[in-house]
Amino acid sequence: MEVDTIRSNNDNDNNNNMSITDMEVDNPEDLNGYYVASLIDELKHDDVQYRLNSVNKLPIIAEALGQDRTRDELIPFLHNDLIGDEDEVLLALAEQLPKLIDSVGGASNATCLLPPLESLAAVEESAVRDKAVWALCEIAKILSPEQLMENFILMMKRLSSCEWFTSRTSVAGLYAVIYKKCGPIQTELQNSFAQLIQDESPMVRRAAAKALSDFTEQMTPTEVLDISLPLFQKVATDDQDSVRLLAVEDMITIAKMITQEQKIEHLLPTFNTLASDSSWRVKYMIANKFVELAEAFGETIVRKQFISAYINLIKDSEAEVRTAAAGQISGKSKKEMKERKERKGLAHYIDKEAVIESLLPCVQELVNDNNEYTRAALAKEVSGLASIFGKEATPEHLLPIFLQLLRDDSPDVRLNVISKLDELNDVVGVESLSQSLLPAIMELSEENQWRIRLQIIEYMPVIARQLGENIFDAKLTELCMSWLQDKVYAIREAATVNLKNLAHVFGNSWTKKTAIPQILSMVHDENYIHRMTTLFALTEIAKVLSPDDIKEVIVPTVVSLSNDSIPNIRFNVAKSLEELIPLLQQGEQKSQEDEIIKNTMEPVLEKLSQDTDKDVRFFAQKALERDQMNKSQQQQTTTTTENPSSPEAKL
């Protein structure tokens, strides 16, 4: 059976351009010919989902057609017939076209992919244009300088000269990728980009301002001063704040490429102007990027010039600006910066006296800010100052702020404080914190919003490490157990994981003495949900116990629940046993573990596999199958170890 031609569903669709009806699969029985034929047919299907699916499979279609026919037939069809399609189809097309480079014959023929992408770069939908620009950049990377000069540059000129702004916004993103490969015409490229910076359309100027940073990175230090810096100044003085705010990123890039003296002369005045801009959006961008700016300018300039600008931002009338500035104070702790190489906050760029004299009064004001998001941002940062103040100054200057935030009306503020508890505890110790910390935790645990309760559960292991076993048992263990009976499933589930994590913190002794007895007290609860939670908690906590403890404490309770009248509990018993059997098999006393598996656990699973409830039978049979699989693997491992010359060992 052969497919001679692949025809469109619409027989009346005939035109002079390459049409879907013209394409054939040379060998329909190869390369899943019928599948490919249907994909080709679906490129003109009335249903957009069919067209989208087919576009996402373009590499398969191209492989079936071959390189010549892909260049001569498929690519022209995509250009002429699909460009007016739905945005989601065009987005997929832009993503797939770079994947056809090999299908059209490699880099030497990749320029045939430029026409459809040029059209996509001019469409109205910004997501499609952005993806088309990305695709053009990917192709430009593999083109030779000659191909760039003969094809790519001409395409850029056409886009730059289009009347509609969309083409000009797209072309701005193409300069950086080709600049170094086009030495003879770099001056022309610089002039063309400068025209975009001064374009009459704010959207084009925005696109050019956004692209200036990448373009600058391709320049020499001399070119940065002569070419990029004047363009940056135009961006920074633009009459549209949506353009000016993009000057901040450009300033960071330029600052990294010039000397300290040049930064002071050329960039510092602009920094001060932007930091006091009439638009809150520009000031927000400065505040949000303040640490990156400090890193780019260097400590010397920061200490002398940046503090006053920061204080003005943190006292700004707009809450968004204050919130952004509050998030830049301390950055990460010294330990985090060392381990993760995180960016340090502003306070780490100036000396301790300047922090106390200049920044601390601002922090004290922010504690009473009327915007809870500002206070929440501060709560994440304030503990990071402890490593700067040290053990002597922290109790005097920082601890009162920390304790006030712990009593804040907003649960988000209190949560952010608790999340950074370890940083402050390393400096002042838990005794200073416990009196305010514990009431805050209790209040958060009673929040009506279950997500707040979920977050406080996630922080419990951190709190446990700071408080120690005795204080935790006296104040918080009962609270942790109460979460096992919460009305929200997500809370109960998190509570079982929390007990496992607490077992990691406090060890086996605490687990057997404190956690397990309280879990077992729920096993006969009238509420079946509580009994099921008991099962979940025992299964979870078994992961940190030894096989002997599992055998003595966990297995008997789990097995006893196999007789429960509720099917949900019985099939969860099967799931629990499926998890427990591999944990027991890790023990050193193989014979004892195998005996309890064979004589106790497997009979329970066999009984459940004959249960009247189909779900119970399903999970029991699944557990038995996994058990048999584990046994087979163990036998194979034993055979290999005992007989190195066996076929398994040779494999």
Side-chain angles (χ1 to χ4, degrees):
M1 182 176 181
E2 296 182 357
V3 178
D4 296 327
T5 57
I6 310 304
R7 300 189 178 277
S8 170
N9 288 335
N10 186 358
D11 293 331
N12 296 323
D13 184 16
N14 295 313
N15 52 47
N16 294 327
N17 294 326
M18 164 60 200
S19 169
I20 203 72
T21 59
D22 299 320
M23 280 191 282
E24 303 174 7
V25 179
D26 292 332
N27 297 303
E29 294 181 1
D30 297 332
L31 296 169
N32 299 315
Y34 292 111
Y35 173 60
V36 175
S38 66
L39 289 176
I40 294 174
D41 205 33
E42 287 171 3
L43 282 171
K44 288 282 279 186
H45 200 283
D46 291 339
D47 191 327
V48 65
Q49 196 59 46
Y50 281 88
R51 299 197 301 276
L52 181 61
N53 176 67
S54 189
V55 167
N56 283 323
K57 299 294 193 301
L58 278 177
I60 297 175
I61 296 174
E63 183 181 1
L65 292 175
Q67 293 181 0
D68 291 339
R69 299 188 64 201
T70 298
R71 289 195 304 270
D72 299 338
E73 300 177 15
L74 179 60
I75 301 302
F77 165 74
L78 296 174
H79 184 204
N80 296 325
D81 289 57
L82 282 188
I83 294 303
D85 211 317
E86 301 288 340
D87 290 337
E88 55 188 319
V89 176
L90 298 183
L91 187 64
L93 179 60
E95 185 172 358
Q96 294 300 320
L97 282 172
K99 299 178 182 180
L100 300 182
I101 292 174
D102 292 336
S103 300
V104 299
S108 60
N109 294 298
T111 53
C112 73
L113 298 171
L114 298 182
L117 287 171
E118 179 180 350
S119 297
L120 290 172
V123 301
E124 189 171 352
E125 174 55 47
S126 60
V128 177
R129 295 201 308 271
D130 292 343
K131 185 62 72 172
V133 170
W134 166 82
L136 286 167
C137 289
E138 292 298 304
I139 293 173
K141 292 174 184 177
I142 65 158
L143 295 181
S144 66
E146 293 75 18
Q147 289 174 305
L148 290 174
M149 301 284 285
E150 294 175 6
N151 298 278
F152 205 88
I153 299 297
L154 292 177
M155 178 199 68
M156 290 177 62
K157 289 180 178 179
R158 290 193 296 272
L159 289 171
S160 298
S161 61
C162 285
E163 182 178 355
W164 193 239
F165 77 91
T166 55
S167 300
R168 304 199 300 279
T169 59
S170 295
V171 77
L174 301 178
Y175 283 83
V177 73
I178 67 167
Y179 185 72
K180 287 186 176 180
K181 297 170 77 174
C182 297
I185 61 165
Q186 284 184 346
T187 302
E188 181 181 345
L189 292 175
Q190 295 164 4
N191 294 333
S192 299
F193 192 85
Q195 291 178 5
L196 297 175
I197 290 286
Q198 303 173 77
D199 195 275
E200 62 181 13
S201 169
M203 285 75 79
V204 177
R205 299 200 302 275
R206 268 185 59 83
K210 189 175 181 180
L212 179 58
S213 179
D214 291 336
F215 193 29
T216 300
E217 291 177 347
Q218 306 304 314
M219 297 180 182
T220 64
T222 302
E223 289 174 331
V224 171
L225 289 174
D226 296 340
I227 306 300
S228 182
L229 191 58
L231 298 179
F232 159 73
Q233 298 293 354
K234 286 185 171 63
V235 172
T237 56
D238 196 277
D239 60 357
Q240 296 285 325
D241 63 352
S242 62
V243 178
R244 292 199 304 278
L245 63 85
L246 295 171
V248 178
E249 280 284 359
D250 299 334
M251 181 161 49
I252 293 171
T253 300
I254 294 173
K256 292 177 180 178
M257 301 180 71
I258 59 178
T259 65
Q260 289 290 96
E261 294 76 14
Q262 291 166 342
K263 294 173 190 176
I264 295 173
E265 180 183 355
H266 299 295
L267 294 182
L268 192 57
T270 305
F271 166 80
N272 289 325
T273 301
L274 292 173
S276 58
D277 196 276
S278 58
S279 168
W280 73 267
R281 293 179 178 86
V282 177
K283 290 184 288 187
Y284 170 84
M285 186 61 72
I286 286 283
N288 195 48
K289 298 286 184 181
F290 209 90
V291 171
E292 291 184 52
L293 286 163
E295 189 177 279
F297 275 80
E299 291 188 13
T300 303
I301 297 177
V302 171
R303 288 174 179 174
K304 294 180 179 179
Q305 306 291 341
F306 272 40
I307 302 302
S308 59
Y310 182 79
I311 291 174
N312 290 335
L313 291 171
I314 215 163
K315 294 181 177 182
D316 195 85
S317 59
E318 292 290 341
E320 288 84 354
V321 178
R322 299 196 304 274
T323 301
Q328 304 287 305
I329 292 176
S330 65
K332 302 295 182 181
S333 67
K334 289 183 178 179
K335 181 179 179 181
E336 286 180 306
M337 285 189 289
K338 183 177 180 181
E339 292 178 354
R340 306 179 193 175
K341 299 180 180 179
E342 296 279 2
R343 183 176 285 110
K344 56 186 179 181
L346 176 65
H348 291 275
Y349 285 90
I350 56 181
D351 54 41
K352 176 180 173 181
E353 289 71 22
V355 172
I356 295 175
E357 181 181 342
S358 302
L359 293 187
L360 188 60
C362 299
V363 171
Q364 291 169 338
E365 287 184 23
L366 289 178
V367 171
N368 299 307
D369 196 279
N370 58 9
N371 186 281
E372 69 174 88
Y373 298 106
T374 302
R375 301 197 305 275
L378 176 67
K380 274 189 174 181
E381 296 289 315
V382 69
S383 60
L385 295 173
S387 61
I388 298 174
F389 287 172
K391 291 186 177 181
E392 295 181 0
T394 294
E396 177 185 354
H397 298 294
L398 201 59
L399 190 58
I401 296 173
F402 193 89
L403 297 177
Q404 184 174 342
L405 289 170
L406 269 175
R407 296 189 293 270
D408 196 277
D409 292 336
S410 168
D412 289 329
V413 175
R414 300 197 298 271
L415 274 174
N416 286 348
V417 173
I418 292 171
S419 70
K420 300 293 183 178
L421 176 65
D422 54 337
E423 295 180 12
L424 191 62
N425 184 52
D426 290 342
V427 178
V428 300
V430 73
E431 294 79 10
S432 305
L433 301 175
S434 57
Q435 291 183 351
S436 295
L437 176 64
L438 293 173
I441 293 172
M442 297 304 293
E443 288 177 13
L444 288 169
S445 69
E446 296 172 357
E447 274 288 332
N448 291 330
Q449 300 179 41
W450 65 268
R451 288 180 177 83
I452 298 294
R453 302 201 301 278
L454 183 62
Q455 286 183 284
I456 198 65
I457 291 173
E458 292 172 353
Y459 292 134
M460 271 296 157
V462 175
I463 296 169
R465 277 191 289 270
Q466 308 307 321
L467 294 178
E469 183 177 334
N470 293 334
I471 297 178
F472 191 89
D473 274 347
K475 303 293 184 180
L476 295 176
T477 296
E478 185 177 348
L479 174 63
C480 291
M481 293 300 168
S482 70
W483 284 323
L484 292 172
Q485 299 184 5
D486 197 277
K487 295 179 180 179
V488 179
Y489 172 76
I491 300 296
R492 299 196 301 272
E493 182 183 36
T496 63
V497 176
N498 177 55
L499 289 176
K500 181 191 72 174
N501 294 334
L502 291 176
H504 272 300
V505 174
F506 294 138
N508 274 4
S509 175
W510 176 87
T511 305
K512 291 189 288 185
K513 179 182 69 176
T514 304
I516 291 178
Q518 296 197 45
I519 296 172
L520 294 179
S521 66
M522 297 165 53
V523 75
H524 299 299
D525 197 291
E526 292 183 0
N527 190 327
Y528 87 94
I529 291 178
H530 296 167
R531 300 199 301 276
M532 191 155 60
T533 304
T534 300
L535 190 58
F536 295 155
L538 291 174
T539 305
E540 195 68 32
I541 213 167
K543 297 174 183 177
V544 297
L545 295 177
S546 67
D548 286 341
D549 291 332
I550 295 173
K551 180 175 59 177
E552 294 174 7
V553 181
I554 306 296
V555 172
T557 304
V558 173
V559 168
S560 69
L561 287 170
S562 66
N563 298 314
D564 199 281
S565 60
I566 304 298
N568 281 30
I569 292 180
R570 297 201 300 275
F571 78 63
N572 275 293
V573 167
K575 292 170 70 175
S576 178
L577 292 175
E578 182 181 359
E579 295 292 326
L580 294 176
I581 288 174
L583 295 176
L584 280 174
Q585 291 172 336
Q586 296 173 6
E588 296 180 356
Q589 299 176 342
K590 293 289 184 183
S591 58
Q592 294 183 14
E593 276 80 27
D594 289 344
E595 183 178 349
I596 194 170
I597 291 172
K598 182 179 179 181
N599 297 332
T600 304
M601 302 171 80
E602 287 180 352
V604 171
L605 289 173
E606 293 286 355
K607 182 186 72 173
L608 293 175
S609 68
Q610 306 298 321
D611 197 273
T612 55
D613 186 272
K614 64 179 182 180
D615 291 326
V616 177
R617 294 196 302 272
F618 171 80
F619 286 107
Q621 290 166 1
K622 181 173 176 287
L624 286 170
E625 289 172 4
R626 182 178 175 185
D627 182 34
Q628 291 300 318
M629 188 187 310
N630 290 338
K631 286 182 178 179
S632 299
Q633 290 176 347
Q634 287 181 344
Q635 290 175 355
Q636 186 175 354
T637 303
T638 303
T639 303
T640 303
T641 305
E642 294 177 353
N643 185 10
S645 61
S646 66
E648 292 84 355
K650 291 179 180 179
L651 287 172

